[in-house]
């Protein structure tokens, strides 16, 4: 499945949940999807603590 196909499917399912369950259910579904996606990224090793530390700005000294 390509990224475009996956994006289409995810968008379609989100709108279907919204239509059937309301806005609250759609927000909950989107949040659950983001949590799952983040968890998989961490388990795959794509997200690391040193990676976050590199993004943090250096302390500004005056």
């Amino acid at each position: 499945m390509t990224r475009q196909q996956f994006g289409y499917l995810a968008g379609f399912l989100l709108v279907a949940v919204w239509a059937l369950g309301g806005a609250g259910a759609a927000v909950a579904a989107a949040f659950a999807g983001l949590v799952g996606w983040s968890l998989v990224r961490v388990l795959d090793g794509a997200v690391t603590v040193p990676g976050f530390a590199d993004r943090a700005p250096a302390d500004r000294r005056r």
Side-chain angles (χ1 to χ4, degrees), residues 13-46:
L13 291 176
L14 184 62
V15 171
V17 168
W18 191 329
L20 295 174
V27 170
F31 180 72
L34 286 174
V35 169
W37 177 79
S38 299
L39 184 66
V40 169
R41 298 273 296 169
V42 169
L43 292 175
D44 283 346

Side-chain angles (χ1 to χ4, degrees), residues 1-11:
M1 179 179 288
T2 66
R3 289 180 185 233
Q4 290 84 8
Q5 290 170 332
F6 182 76
Y8 175 81
L9 180 63

